[in-house]
């Protein structure tokens, strides 16, 4: 093939096609597609990516009404997906975080009316847009919290999200899990059964999708209420399950019943499981059910998961959502509660870098900051301490843990999570190349622009990338 022919092949694929709504060009666009393609230009129409390639290739799609965003060498990533973030609570508390802020005032009434709830959701949408976050999972809303003290987790929250779904106010796509019990507390199988009979609001699943249920399996090791295989220091027992009442056996039976019931109804299950014993029982029950199939159940937190459990998770199609920043804040606290051996093996992120495991980074905001740049930097520091070299492959994996992998957890890898033709134009523009900066320094990156469904929903002050319209070609 001559040089000319190859030039024609790469540069004329879009000739004769209708002009795009929006073109981004002159950048370093990390598509995170399976081949890890990097292109300089992207075109979107009707919220969907219609072309990617060189600036010259996309030029043919610029018409008089096309918005042209000149990237000027900036980088682009798929929109960030925070797979564990309490959106309403975050909006009601911001800028306060539980870790890195005051530990007081977390058990007071925050929201009382529908106006309050929608205002909190809007605040979160706005905030997340400024971070480049275009999807998140609201993990646990339901009747057990209808009289909850903060007002941030009741079943009416789902109605509030539904009312905003697909409107201009919604700048991040929402996945939700239902909770039939108390936040960080008890739940009962009878309530799960009864609760699942209540119909869900009907919404476009691309904007609001309720995929399953959350179960609080246990607490957290520093509080000595995570269920662990060893004993806590100072004869502190070994914790236990929060499901059901009575002795260990009765609680375990109730836990298993919840998992089986939800699984048989084709619901995704996320279990708050920090202790290795809780994780073990969750995995073992899904193994008994023949694996997760395509229900994509996952461990939430997983502080004390071990190598064998990680392999079994992968083998049966389960995943794990981690919050490295919480590990930073609670590491010493954990060490005071468990043996050195257990503390040394906690949060084994270095064992979760393989392609086949659905391992995800997330914030748990407002428990810790929703800033994915800080969280990725924290993950990178932890990996380095675990002996991992932070090369390009690891950087890609960390970026995937915030984009393409959570899209799988959302059952949405067919239409979001990477930048490919036919997928939604959810993306963020970064002022420097994440690969050049390196993940430990992601905190230095600025998000200049965020786009959801082809719509610019955030632009950093002083940056006016989206201003150019009606370019003559
Ligand atoms: Zn949480």
């Amino acid at each position: 093939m001559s040089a000319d022919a190859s030039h024609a092949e790469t540069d004329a694929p879009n000739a004769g096609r209708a002009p795009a709504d929006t073109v981004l060009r002159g950048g370093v666009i990390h598509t995170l597609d399976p081949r890890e393609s990097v292109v300089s230009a992207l075109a979107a129409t009707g919220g969907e990516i219609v072309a990617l390639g060189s600036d010259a290739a996309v030029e043919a799609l610029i018409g008089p009404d096309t918005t042209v965003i000149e990237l000027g060498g900036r980088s682009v990533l798929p929109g960030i997906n925070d797979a564990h973030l309490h959106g309403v609570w975050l909006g009601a508390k911001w800028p306060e975080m539980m870790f890195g802020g005051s530990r007081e005032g977390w058990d007071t009434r925050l929201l009382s009316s529908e106006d309050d709830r929608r205002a909190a959701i809007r605040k979160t949408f706005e905030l997340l847009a400024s971070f480049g976050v275009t999807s998140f999972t609201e993990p646990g809303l339901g009747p057990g919290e209808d009289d909850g003290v903060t007002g941030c987790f009741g079943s009416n929250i789902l109605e509030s999200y539904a009312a905003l779904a697909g409107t201009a106010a919604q700048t991040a796509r929402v996945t939700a899990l239902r909770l039939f019990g108390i936040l960080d507390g008890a739940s009962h199988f009878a309530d799960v059964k009864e609760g699942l009979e209540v119909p869900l609001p009907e919404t476009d699943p691309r904007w609001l999708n309720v995929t399953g249920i959350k179960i609080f399996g246990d607490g957290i090791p520093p509080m000595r209420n995570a269920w662990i295989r060893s004993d806590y220091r100072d004869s502190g027992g070994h914790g236990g399950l929060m499901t059901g009442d009575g002795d260990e056996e009765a609680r375990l039976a109730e836990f298993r019943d919840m998992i089986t019931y939800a699984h048989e109804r084709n619901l995704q299950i996320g279990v708050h499981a920090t202790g290795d014993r809780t994780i073990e029982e969750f995995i073992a029950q899904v193994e008994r059910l023949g694996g997760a199939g395509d229900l994509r159940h996952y461990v939430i937190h997983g502080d004390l998961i071990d190598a064998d459990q990680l392999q079994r998770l992968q083998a049966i199609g389960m995943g794990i959502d981690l919050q490295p920043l919480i590990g930073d804040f609670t590491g010493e606290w954990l060490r005071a509660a468990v043996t050195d051996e257990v503390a040394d093996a906690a949060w084994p992120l270095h064992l979760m870098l393989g392609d086949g495991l659905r391992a995800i980074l997330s914030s748990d905001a407002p428990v810790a900051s929703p800033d994915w740049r800080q969280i990725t930097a924290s993950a990178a520091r932890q990996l380095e301490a675990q002996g991992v070299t932070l090369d390009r492959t690891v950087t890609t994996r960390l970026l995937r843990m915030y984009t393409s992998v959570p899209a799988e957890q959302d059952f949405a890898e067919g239409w979001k999570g990477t930048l490919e033709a036919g997928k939604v134009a959810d993306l963020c523009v970064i002022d420097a190349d994440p690969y050049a900066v390196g993940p430990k320094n992601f905190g230095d990156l600025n998000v200049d622009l965020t786009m959801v469904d082809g719509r610019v929903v955030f632009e950093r002050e002083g940056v006016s990338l989206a201003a150019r319209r009606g370019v003559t070609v």
Side-chain angles (χ1 to χ4, degrees):
M1 186 188 286
S2 74
D4 274 1
S6 118
H7 186 261
E9 208 168 270
T10 45
D11 285 356
N14 297 308
R17 292 177 61 187
D21 293 347
T22 308
V23 163
L24 289 80
R25 66 179 177 187
V28 182
I29 301 176
H30 297 285
T31 65
L32 297 181
D33 70 7
R35 294 187 306 131
E36 292 170 29
S37 312
V38 180
V39 297
S40 66
L42 175 156
T45 295
E48 197 170 273
I49 298 169
V50 293
L52 297 117
S54 65
D55 288 6
V58 173
E59 180 108 23
L61 297 175
I62 300 175
D65 297 323
T66 303
T67 298
V68 178
I69 296 177
E70 303 286 0
L71 294 169
R74 290 175 177 81
S75 282
V76 176
L77 292 172
I80 301 299
N81 184 342
D82 193 326
H84 188 99
L85 176 144
H86 303 275
V88 176
W89 196 22
L90 173 64
K93 289 300 282 186
W94 180 259
E96 260 185 278
M97 300 290 114
M98 189 177 283
F99 292 121
S102 166
R103 302 292 301 282
E104 307 297 315
W106 287 86
D107 49 2
T108 54
R109 192 84 193 160
L110 297 169
L111 308 174
S112 302
S113 67
E114 180 60 17
D115 281 353
D116 288 354
R117 290 186 284 276
R118 289 195 198 177
I121 294 171
R122 285 174 200 272
K123 176 78 220 169
T124 286
F125 285 152
E126 236 173 77
L127 176 68
L128 294 182
S130 75
F131 286 129
V133 174
T134 60
S135 289
F136 68 91
T137 293
E138 173 79 64
L141 301 172
E145 282 288 330
D146 282 352
D147 300 315
V149 60
T150 62
C152 293
F153 311 98
S155 31
N156 48 16
I157 300 281
L158 267 179
E159 304 293 336
S160 313
Y161 273 118
L164 294 171
T167 68
Q170 186 175 12
T171 58
R173 304 174 192 276
V174 179
T175 302
L177 297 178
R178 287 204 277 182
L179 171 70
F180 302 105
I182 300 168
L183 193 82
D184 290 311
S187 58
H188 294 89
F189 178 45
D191 295 331
V192 173
K193 275 204 293 192
E194 193 187 313
L196 284 173
E197 296 303 315
V198 178
L200 290 165
E202 277 187 33
T203 51
D204 178 348
R206 287 196 176 199
W207 291 106
L208 175 63
N209 193 16
V210 183
T211 55
I213 69 165
K214 175 175 184 180
I215 300 170
F216 274 93
D218 63 5
I220 57 170
M223 299 293 284
R224 297 170 193 233
N225 57 3
W227 195 21
I228 63 174
R229 288 183 285 207
S230 55
D231 274 343
Y232 288 106
R233 284 187 194 275
D234 317 320
S235 357
H238 55 251
L241 286 173
M242 287 178 162
T243 49
D245 307 290
D247 62 13
E248 212 158 74
E249 216 172 304
R251 287 168 182 273
L252 179 56
E254 195 120 352
F255 181 63
R256 288 175 176 162
D257 281 348
M258 287 180 192
I259 292 168
T260 303
Y261 191 84
H263 179 87
E264 287 176 348
R265 273 145 197 83
N266 292 321
L267 297 170
Q268 185 177 41
I269 305 164
V271 174
H272 180 293
T274 63
D276 45 6
R277 188 71 203 278
T278 306
I279 294 164
E280 180 62 33
E281 294 297 347
F282 182 23
I283 295 173
Q285 186 59 13
V286 176
E287 283 172 338
R288 268 179 227 114
L289 292 166
D294 198 34
L295 298 177
R296 309 184 185 185
H297 307 320
Y298 58 98
V299 170
I300 297 170
H301 307 309
D303 303 28
L304 302 185
I305 197 162
D306 69 22
D308 168 64
Q309 290 171 335
L310 282 167
Q311 278 176 9
R312 285 158 62 209
L313 274 190
Q314 185 173 337
I316 59 175
M318 292 175 67
I320 178 166
D321 274 11
L322 300 160
Q323 299 75 30
L325 210 50
I326 296 184
D328 288 350
F329 282 114
T330 62
E332 286 311 306
W333 197 17
L334 169 79
R335 199 163 279 282
V338 298
T339 63
D340 284 343
E341 198 190 345
V342 172
D344 288 345
W347 298 297
L349 186 56
H350 61 301
L351 303 177
M352 304 185 204
L353 298 175
D355 272 352
L357 179 69
R358 222 169 34 249
I360 290 172
L361 299 176
S362 59
S363 68
D364 206 1
V367 175
S369 166
D371 187 343
W372 63 278
R373 296 162 297 185
Q374 283 185 46
I375 293 160
T376 313
S378 154
R381 283 193 302 271
Q382 290 177 22
L383 284 170
E384 206 167 53
Q386 289 163 337
V388 174
T389 305
L390 302 175
D391 58 14
R392 190 178 175 90
T393 307
V394 172
T395 302
T396 298
R397 196 69 212 156
L398 290 170
L399 290 172
R400 285 199 186 287
M401 286 173 143
Y402 251 123
T403 53
S404 57
V405 188
E408 290 172 28
Q409 183 175 290
D410 289 344
F411 305 92
E413 71 276 15
W415 58 272
K416 72 175 184 183
T418 61
L419 301 175
E420 295 178 79
K423 292 197 177 182
V424 290
D426 291 5
L427 55 85
C428 56
V429 176
I430 311 292
D431 68 343
D433 189 339
Y435 286 90
V437 168
K440 271 200 299 182
N441 302 312
F442 275 13
D444 297 341
L445 300 173
N446 287 301
V447 174
D448 279 350
L449 180 144
T450 305
M451 181 179 279
V452 177
D453 211 46
R455 188 161 57 95
V456 174
V457 295
F458 167 76
E459 215 173 351
R460 187 159 66 98
E461 215 179 309
V463 177
S464 51
L465 295 175
R468 204 161 152 221
R469 223 172 253 279
V471 176
T472 321
V473 290

